[in-house]
Amino acid sequence: MRAAIFHAAGRPLAIENVPDPRPAPDQVIIEVERSGICGSDLHVTEYGAAPDGTILGHEFAGTIAEIGAAVRGDWQVGERVTALPITSCQQCEACTGGLPGLCPDNIFTGTTLLVQGAYAEYVASRASMLQRLPAGVPFAQGAMVEPLAVSHHAVEMAALRPGASVLVIGAGPIGAGVVLFARLAGARHIVVSERFAARRERALALGATAVIDPAAEDVAGRFHAHAGCRPQVVFECVGNPGLLRHAVDVAGIRGRIVVAGVCLLDDTFNPLAGLLKEVTIQFSQCYTERDFGAVIDAMARGEAKPEPMHTGTVGFAELPAVFESLRAASPHCKVLIDPGRR
């Protein structure tokens, strides 16, 4: 099969012919119809955090091509599916509690040679992680279920009440998804703080009620002018140092902060600022099978329409250059790979 191979930091992905994957007894092989480029893929390759020969890609959808000998259930070759990109131990506290994404021994698809990813014509997945795609959910949407499940999980963690006033910091793929699901959860005011104009426009298309340019405007003042109050819930969806402090400062009395952005550096904030308002800080990482199912159901009902997030589709010929271009500020939100595109 053809696949995009990561060799080393500073080198573009290489399109190569590699052996087709074979299913372990508990796996299926999926013929990839679409896979998504994630910001974490860019970080992994920038810092050389994956070994030479890794096939990236943990956001994907396709059809079952082969089924392992020990797979249980009524799975059939040709079924349309996506999957949680998780290979967990199935025995620890997280796994037995229905939180396989928090398993300390989890092997995340597309970050290691042990479980190669979906920047390829075929990808292996543990059958227990499969999720069917209804006929009304196209593969392009199916490949966005994984990042949208991250957003759905964050909104679930926030326990939003109908009529809530929400601030979303950052309108990349995760922040954009938070806007979509906060709207479905019944939030009244969904204000997005985002530096890039194209992302602000995209947030409005997904259901934001107002947008703020934090480089030019006072976020707290603009939020209050729009909503008439301070944020009851703040979603931090960027992960840059300093934003946790900012979230604590702008949150309202007994406000809840849900941190979905991945910050790889140490950060600080003044606890007194949170103490005086009894602010709650909740970290949100990964997702559950329930989140995947909820996203797919919302898509099938026509309630979740993520098309504004889909800003480009590339084949293997274009992938290395487009992948590198995403390291800089870009108007793109979610770029998908079509392995069959020539």
Side-chain angles (χ1 to χ4, degrees):
M1 70 174 182
R2 292 191 305 158
I5 310 297
F6 169 72
H7 287 296
R11 291 176 57 183
L13 300 177
I15 308 305
E16 301 176 8
N17 290 312
V18 298
D20 292 355
R22 303 296 302 170
D26 65 343
Q27 291 181 326
V28 302
I29 302 300
I30 298 169
E31 182 176 2
V32 178
E33 293 289 343
R34 296 290 187 277
S35 58
I37 299 175
C38 178
S40 63
D41 298 335
L42 297 166
H43 292 312
V44 163
T45 56
E46 181 180 357
Y47 296 107
D52 182 359
T54 298
I55 303 173
L56 304 167
H58 55 272
E59 307 171 0
F60 54 87
T63 58
I64 296 176
E66 191 174 355
I67 299 174
V71 171
R72 299 178 180 177
D74 57 349
W75 296 109
Q76 302 292 325
V77 169
E79 283 195 89
R80 305 169 71 257
V81 295
T82 184
L84 283 71
I86 289 172
T87 304
S88 59
C89 76
Q90 301 180 305
Q91 298 176 345
C92 69
E93 177 186 3
C95 290
T96 57
L99 301 169
L102 303 184
C103 172
D105 295 321
N106 176 43
I107 302 172
F108 203 67
T109 300
T111 61
T112 167
L113 300 177
L114 296 174
V115 185
Q116 295 281 37
Y119 288 15
E121 293 181 294
Y122 295 93
V123 66
S125 173
R126 184 176 275 176
S128 60
M129 294 289 100
L130 289 178
Q131 296 272 334
R132 287 184 172 89
L133 293 178
V137 177
F139 287 121
Q141 287 191 0
M144 290 193 283
V145 169
E146 195 273 353
L148 286 170
V150 176
S151 303
H152 183 273
H153 190 68
V155 173
E156 287 281 291
M157 298 290 272
L160 283 183
R161 296 178 180 177
S165 295
V166 171
L167 173 65
V168 182
I169 301 173
I174 303 307
V178 165
V179 170
L180 194 160
F181 288 110
R183 176 178 58 80
L184 292 179
R188 180 181 180 188
H189 300 290
I190 307 170
V191 181
V192 174
S193 174
E194 168 59 56
R195 291 176 177 269
F196 296 103
R199 289 183 173 184
R200 293 197 296 271
E201 291 300 315
R202 189 174 300 121
L204 290 169
L206 289 164
T209 56
V211 292
I212 301 170
D213 178 359
E217 303 171 281
D218 174 64
V219 174
R222 286 281 291 113
F223 187 98
H224 195 281
H226 174 74
C229 62
R230 288 185 289 184
Q232 295 168 314
V233 180
V234 179
F235 292 95
E236 196 285 281
C237 301
V238 179
N240 287 343
L243 287 179
L244 184 56
R245 175 189 294 270
H246 174 60
V248 171
D249 288 342
V250 300
I253 297 295
R254 288 198 168 180
R256 178 181 293 275
I257 298 166
V258 179
V259 182
V262 180
C263 185
L264 301 178
L265 302 172
D266 289 344
D267 201 0
T268 62
F269 69 95
N270 186 343
L272 183 61
L275 180 71
L276 293 177
K277 294 186 286 188
E278 294 191 346
V279 166
T280 298
I281 300 174
Q282 174 76 61
F283 289 86
S284 176
Q285 196 270 341
C286 210
Y287 33 63
T288 65
E289 293 173 76
R290 181 180 176 277
D291 292 305
F292 260 63
V295 171
I296 293 169
D297 288 346
M299 288 176 169
R301 293 192 302 268
E303 295 175 353
K305 299 178 179 180
E307 282 75 14
M309 297 172 59
H310 179 199
T311 54
T313 300
V314 300
F316 282 136
E318 308 154 274
L319 174 57
V322 170
F323 187 87
E324 292 303 313
S325 75
L326 295 176
R327 298 189 190 281
S330 170
H332 281 298
C333 183
K334 180 57 62 180
V335 177
L336 299 180
I337 303 164
D338 177 358
R341 183 168 177 170
R342 301 296 177 178

